[in-house]
Amino acid sequence: MLNQGKPLKAAVQEAINACEGAFSIVIATGDTLIAARDRHGLRPFCMGRSKTGALVVASETCALDIVGATYERDIEPGEILIATLDDYYAGLEAEGVGRTESIFLDGPRKEHLCVFELVYFARPDSIIHGQSVYNYRMNLGRRLAQISPPVEADIVIPVPDSGNVAAVGYSRESGIPYVEGLIKNRYVGRTFISPTHELREKGIQLKLNPLKDVLAGKRVIVVDDSIVRGNTSRNLVKMLKDCGVKELHLRISSAKVTHPCFYGIDMSEQKELIANQMENTEKIREFLGVDSLTYLSVQDMADVAGYEAPCTACFSGDYPAGKPVDFVPLSLTQASV
Ligand code: SF4
């Protein structure tokens, strides 16, 4: 579109209007910064100000903290935020902060922020809808304790790091002491998005090491954020049992992952998802080899999220932005900026 002679703003608007799915885009030219969020608001995207009044944009608010910027607001679904150098200087002189301009995509715009961000992806020190992700995870853990069948247990341990806060919430709600039972190797990344089965298998051994003296002979509640294929959880259970854990009760601070994500998370094919392969929780419990297993429901997650219409598609199969097969194919000419 730029090569058809359109000005930058119009070209970007037209190109982004033609895009489907989940995205947060930043375009920087010599004198202009443009930030755009998809019309469904699937991924978090926020704006703030540097100490000099300049626009700063980031996926999560914790990134603003790191550079000393102040959070101002979330970028709206379908919003294209534009800051030019001329507007920066003009705004600075008149109002003390750089000016920005917002234009919006055509058609419907409604936020369906990914609920998995609250469970797993976002950092706990980020703020979403006025609450820290830490607080959301604490409440997911509390809810999990409320709905789980009561069991006599000695300790609650998290699967670090993404299970940490939910385990604290579970412990506070149930009154069962929270302790650390697994130590994480900080130099290994997320295992569920490792490309091969072998790498994922090795990943759990490299990633987590159990504290044998804490765990041996104990009845343990283990809190994890999710189960995707089930192999990681199964290996973890074996590792804990090899340490002499007497009873192992697995608690999951999300619902069953039953569908793939088409909105940017490389999760798995549907046939690989354990909750898709096995007909009920009891079968999954048997496969994992645990004494009891409880998941949250999709409704529990939505209730704790507390904001309207979160995306829960990988747990419910209800895709708020459609599936790739629904998307209208674009001609490359239309889409090229
Ligand atoms: S499908 Fe799942 S991971 Fe993907 S955006 Fe929706 S809730 Fe998030």
Side-chain angles (χ1 to χ4, degrees):
M1 290 166 194
L2 275 179
N3 59 17
Q4 291 166 9
K6 295 197 175 166
L8 178 67
K9 198 164 80 178
V12 167
Q13 187 178 23
E14 202 171 321
I16 294 177
N17 254 326
C19 296
E20 290 288 354
F23 54 86
S24 297
I25 298 173
V26 176
I27 301 167
T29 69
D31 64 354
T32 304
L33 184 74
I34 298 177
R37 190 177 181 201
D38 71 78
R39 67 177 71 252
H40 310 285
L42 283 154
R43 306 256 78 86
F45 204 18
C46 64
M47 64 165 286
R49 297 281 173 188
S50 72
K51 288 195 170 64
T52 60
L55 174 69
V56 183
V57 297
S59 287
E60 294 185 34
T61 62
C62 64
L64 302 180
D65 301 336
I66 290 166
V67 297
T70 307
Y71 168 77
E72 201 165 295
R73 66 176 176 86
D74 287 353
I75 296 172
E76 290 181 34
E79 180 176 359
I80 302 170
L81 187 64
I82 303 159
T84 65
L85 264 186
D86 285 347
D87 285 346
Y88 171 68
Y89 287 118
L92 203 59
E93 202 174 305
E95 293 119 30
V97 290
R99 285 181 192 149
T100 58
E101 180 189 359
S102 288
I103 54 177
F104 293 90
L105 298 182
D106 300 334
R109 300 182 295 112
K110 178 167 178 155
E111 188 177 89
H112 299 286
L113 180 66
C114 166
V115 80
F116 222 151
E117 293 280 353
L118 306 184
V119 172
Y120 180 71
F121 287 112
R123 270 184 37 168
D125 49 340
S126 283
I127 306 288
I128 291 179
H129 288 284
Q131 265 197 75
S132 66
V133 172
Y134 182 93
N135 204 37
Y136 283 114
R137 289 188 187 154
M138 180 77 72
N139 290 334
L140 288 169
R142 283 188 181 278
R143 178 67 67 100
L144 192 52
Q146 287 160 5
I147 64 155
S148 294
V151 291
E152 297 278 326
D154 302 304
I155 51 176
V156 175
I157 69 165
V159 177
D161 288 327
S162 51
N164 288 0
V165 186
V168 173
Y170 194 103
S171 165
R172 288 192 184 164
E173 187 68 25
S174 64
I176 301 167
Y178 170 97
V179 297
E180 288 186 40
L182 291 160
I183 300 303
K184 184 178 172 190
N185 177 345
R186 299 195 183 279
Y187 304 103
V188 178
R190 289 171 162 156
T191 48
F192 94 70
I193 46 180
S194 296
T196 65
H197 177 68
E198 289 69 33
L199 276 177
R200 286 192 294 273
E201 293 261 317
K202 282 225 178 329
I204 190 70
Q205 290 162 16
L206 292 169
K207 188 170 149 182
L208 297 173
N209 205 17
L211 288 166
K212 297 181 183 64
D213 52 342
V214 171
L215 297 164
K218 299 279 188 353
R219 299 166 299 177
V220 182
I221 290 178
V222 180
V223 180
D224 202 355
D225 58 86
S226 57
I227 304 177
V228 179
R229 296 176 190 85
N231 299 316
T232 303
S233 303
R234 197 181 193 196
N235 290 338
L236 176 67
V237 168
K238 182 172 179 314
M239 186 192 277
L240 290 168
K241 289 205 162 165
D242 288 348
C243 290
V245 163
K246 198 161 117 195
E247 280 178 32
L248 202 161
H249 303 277
L250 187 56
R251 302 289 179 258
I252 305 299
S253 64
S254 66
K256 288 178 188 166
V257 179
T258 51
H259 291 74
C261 175
F262 298 118
Y263 306 145
I265 305 302
D266 181 15
M267 204 176 269
S268 220
E269 285 186 43
Q270 189 167 14
K271 63 179 186 322
E272 293 174 345
L273 302 171
I274 190 169
N276 189 55
Q277 291 167 3
M278 303 206 172
E279 64 198 70
N280 56 37
T281 306
E282 178 55 18
K283 294 274 185 225
I284 302 172
R285 185 197 70 72
E286 278 173 19
F287 171 80
L288 298 177
V290 293
D291 294 282
S292 72
L293 170 64
T294 306
Y295 289 89
L296 287 177
S297 68
V298 176
Q299 190 59 52
D300 287 323
M301 296 173 77
D303 289 349
V304 171
Y307 52 84
E308 206 193 336
C311 176
T312 60
C314 54
F315 306 102
S316 64
D318 181 9
Y319 291 89
K323 297 186 210 176
V325 72
D326 304 328
F327 300 159
V328 179
L330 302 171
S331 87
L332 281 175
T333 325
Q334 276 179 318
S336 65
V337 173

